[in-house]
Amino acid sequence: EAQVTQNPRYLITVTGKKLTVTCSQNMNHEYMSWYRQDPGLGLRQIYYSMNVEVTDKGDVPEGYKVSRKEKRNFPLILESPSPNQTSLYFCASSRGGPYYEQFFGPGTRLTVL
Amino acid sequence: AQSVAQPEDQVNVAEGNPLTVKCTYSVSGNPYLFWYVQYPNRGLQFLLKYITGDNLVKGSYGFEAEFNKSQTSFHLKKPSALVSDSALYFCAVRDIMDSNYQLIWGAGTKLIIKP
C-alpha cells in the first residue's frame, strides 16, 4: 500500500529534550516536506526537500532541522524543543513536479511542557 | 505577494443541499490550484486540482471546483451534501513561475453537514 508513515503519532516531552520525528514514504517520491498545523493558521511549511541531500527552509524553520540521506526518509529534528513548538506535525511527499498532489502522513501530535 | 484566502471559517449546510466552500488566490503568474480535505484525527487527503484546460474540475467523493481567472477564485462545490462530508477543507495554490514547488495554503474551512 502506498503510504507516508510517521512516528511517533503522539509525543509529550519537556523543554530542551532533543527529539526526532521520523517520516518514511514508499512511493519513490522525490519531494518531501514537513508542515505544522495550528488552529486558525492552517498549514505552515517548516522544511522541504526536492531530492536526496537537497533541503531548504520553508516559512517557519526556526528551531527545526531535517536531513535527507535516503530518498524514502525525511526525519524532523527538534534539538531543544520549546512550548511554542507544541503543534500537530505532518510529513508529505509527492513526485518531483509542481503540479503533482501531495500525500500526507497521519500526523504527529507533539506537546512540549 | 502570493496568498490564498478562505473567507469562511465555518460553513453549515443541511444534508442533501448543495454546498460551496470558497477560495480566492493571488499569485504573480498562472496558478496551480488544489483542494485537500482533513477528516478528524487524520492526515490531509487530495481532492482535486486545476493545472490547465477545462475550468470545471471534478474530483473525489463527488466534489468539483470551478477555476475563475477573472475573479481569481477556485470554489469547491458539491450538488448534494452528505453528513460524511463534514471535515476541514484546505485550498492551496502554487505559482507556475515558482521554482521551489512550495504550496501556499489557506487557513482552512470547517464544513458541517447537519442531518
Side-chain angles (χ1 to χ4, degrees):
Chain A
E1 179 189 356
Q3 60 182 349
V4 178
T5 56
Q6 293 179 229
N7 282 291
R9 294 289 312 277
Y10 301 91
L11 179 60
I12 300 174
T13 189
V14 296
T15 299
K17 186 176 182 181
K18 181 180 179 180
L19 66 92
T20 299
V21 184
T22 64
C23 172
S24 183
Q25 51 93 4
N26 63 0
M27 295 168 279
N28 202 36
H29 284 167
E30 293 179 357
Y31 183 92
M32 297 187 74
S33 181
W34 275 104
Y35 296 93
R36 60 178 289 174
Q37 183 181 16
D38 301 289
L41 296 178
L43 287 174
R44 293 182 292 168
Q45 191 175 46
I46 303 169
Y47 269 94
Y48 63 96
S49 169
M50 293 170 70
N51 215 324
V52 175
E53 301 293 0
V54 180
T55 63
D56 211 341
K57 296 177 181 179
D59 300 317
V60 288
E62 294 78 20
Y64 304 94
K65 286 175 57 178
V66 293
S67 67
R68 187 91 182 272
K69 294 185 172 62
E70 307 165 281
K71 199 171 189 178
R72 63 183 293 127
N73 296 323
F74 190 46
L76 179 69
I77 303 158
L78 284 71
E79 295 268 3
S80 182
S82 62
N84 65 11
Q85 293 179 297
T86 292
S87 187
L88 180 58
Y89 292 86
F90 289 102
C91 180
S93 73
S94 72
R95 295 189 195 180
Y99 38 81
Y100 289 110
E101 62 269 27
Q102 295 190 31
F103 292 79
F104 283 79
T108 295
R109 186 165 292 280
L110 172 66
T111 300
V112 183
L113 302 174
Chain B
Q2 302 177 68
S3 64
V4 174
Q6 292 182 243
E8 300 152 318
D9 291 335
Q10 183 170 309
V11 172
N12 298 299
V13 178
E15 186 176 26
N17 283 0
L19 69 88
T20 298
V21 182
K22 295 179 180 177
C23 172
T24 59
Y25 66 89
S26 174
V27 296
S28 303
N30 289 321
Y32 294 143
L33 292 152
F34 302 81
W35 275 102
Y36 286 82
V37 60
Q38 183 180 26
Y39 297 104
N41 301 313
R42 302 278 297 276
L44 280 76
Q45 297 176 33
F46 168 76
L47 269 182
L48 50 80
K49 65 182 176 182
Y50 171 82
I51 302 300
T52 187
D54 194 346
N55 289 342
L56 185 63
V57 179
K58 294 189 184 298
S60 307
Y61 312 122
F63 283 93
E64 59 188 26
E66 186 167 11
F67 171 61
N68 188 317
K69 188 172 183 178
S70 62
Q71 297 185 6
T72 61
S73 67
F74 190 56
H75 301 332
L76 181 70
K77 299 182 180 183
K78 187 174 182 180
S80 179
L82 300 172
V83 173
S84 57
D85 293 329
S86 299
L88 189 56
Y89 291 80
F90 290 97
C91 180
V93 66
R94 178 173 279 153
D95 190 333
I96 194 172
M97 302 299 291
D98 185 1
S99 61
N100 64 10
Y101 301 170
Q102 277 191 284
L103 272 177
I104 309 299
W105 293 84
T109 298
K110 187 175 184 180
L111 177 64
I112 297 177
I113 309 299
K114 298 182 178 179

